[in-house]
Amino acid sequence: SQKIEQNSEALNIQEGKTATLTCNYTNYSPAYLQWYRQDPGRGPVFLLLIRENEKEKRKERLKVTFDTTLKQSLFHITASQPADSATYLCALARFGNTPLVFGKGTRLSVIA
Amino acid sequence: DGGITQSPKYLFRKEGQNVTLSCEQNLNHDAMYWYRQDPGQGLRLIYYSQIVNDFQKGDIAEGYSVSREKKESFPLTVTSAQKNPTAFYLCASSMRQDSNQPQHFGDGTRLSIL
């Protein structure tokens, strides 16, 4: 069956460290993978999109990698801050132009 | 500012009652979506629409209905047939229904049963 798994429900890290979140998928062939941030009681906000032929994408302190051989995407936040505390969701399409499927998310807490 | 507006923020439903959740966007997007989010769960797709007067069922459409009479509006009705409607409902839109298009979300409606 098709699955998207985000490595853990919750991740706690110290301020200033790099947070690394994992998104694994099985039985998908995504051309694109997206990452979103969701704060409590709010809708998700789009952060980054990475294409299957891109190994890495950066935006300010954020970095996303996409390994179609391992069927995995890693999401990094460098020099993390308490304001980065939120739930982070990965999303991909089963194939072609089908709707996105979202993972359950990882709740990141950055401790000062 | 362009964006998506969901209303109301909180909604209460009595047993056997239908309720309608509003979603309006001024982003001129063709595609719109409705998701349900339960605690500890990811977003699950209820319905989506790629164009006016057309919509498709998502993974959990039973007990829900939608309409897309205008490009800007995509209301969701939670019918009495939906036996477990308590959840956080999110509406989203994208320029096209395409996996390389980011989705823009509203701030949700929290539905509870009285």
Side-chain angles (χ1 to χ4, degrees), chain A residues 31-36 45-51 57 91-93 96-102, chain B residues 27-33 35 49-50 92-105:
Chain A
Y32 309 92
L33 192 144
Q34 302 188 22
W35 283 90
Y36 290 77
V45 174
F46 171 76
L47 295 174
L48 282 168
L49 177 149
I50 187 165
R51 294 173 171 74
K57 196 98 174 259
L92 49 81
N97 290 333
T98 54
L100 291 178
V101 178
F102 284 81
Chain B
L27 299 165
N28 200 32
H29 284 172
D30 285 327
M32 296 187 75
Y33 313 83
Y35 296 92
S49 168
Q50 299 183 58
S93 71
S94 62
M95 197 173 297
R96 298 182 305 277
Q97 197 272 289
D98 196 321
S99 59
N100 72 352
Q101 295 294 311
Q103 293 189 8
H104 300 253
F105 285 82

Side-chain angles (χ1 to χ4, degrees), chain A residues 49-76:
Chain A
L49 177 149
I50 187 165
R51 294 173 171 74
E52 62 176 343
N53 61 352
E54 294 177 317
K55 297 300 180 189
E56 181 179 298
K57 196 98 174 259
R58 291 176 185 261
K59 179 182 175 183
E60 298 170 352
R61 293 185 296 112
L62 308 181
K63 185 177 85 171
V64 172
T65 63
F66 192 10
D67 188 328
T68 54
T69 302
L70 291 178
K71 295 187 183 295
Q72 180 182 81
S73 175
L74 299 179
F75 178 83
H76 306 273

Side-chain angles (χ1 to χ4, degrees), chain B:
Chain B
D1 277 346
I4 296 190
T5 302
Q6 291 189 241
S7 62
K9 193 166 179 65
Y10 300 96
L11 187 58
F12 298 92
R13 194 191 90 169
K14 293 181 181 178
E15 296 285 347
Q17 187 180 48
N18 293 354
V19 291
T20 297
L21 284 61
S22 170
C23 177
E24 303 278 332
Q25 54 100 357
N26 60 4
L27 299 165
N28 200 32
H29 284 172
D30 285 327
M32 296 187 75
Y33 313 83
W34 274 105
Y35 296 92
R36 170 181 172 140
Q37 189 174 36
D38 295 280
Q41 299 285 325
L43 279 65
R44 291 185 291 169
L45 184 64
I46 304 173
Y47 269 97
Y48 64 101
S49 168
Q50 299 183 58
I51 198 167
V52 174
N53 292 323
D54 183 58
F55 49 82
Q56 285 80 41
K57 292 181 179 180
D59 298 317
I60 55 165
E62 186 174 350
Y64 301 97
S65 66
V66 293
S67 62
R68 186 88 188 275
E69 297 176 2
K70 297 187 299 182
K71 188 174 185 176
E72 309 80 47
S73 179
F74 191 40
L76 173 74
T77 297
V78 184
T79 75
S80 56
Q82 172 49 244
K83 297 307 178 189
N84 184 22
T86 298
F88 188 48
Y89 290 87
L90 287 160
C91 179
S93 71
S94 62
M95 197 173 297
R96 298 182 305 277
Q97 197 272 289
D98 196 321
S99 59
N100 72 352
Q101 295 294 311
Q103 293 189 8
H104 300 253
F105 285 82
D107 273 339
T109 293
R110 193 167 296 280
L111 176 63
S112 302
I113 300 302
L114 289 177

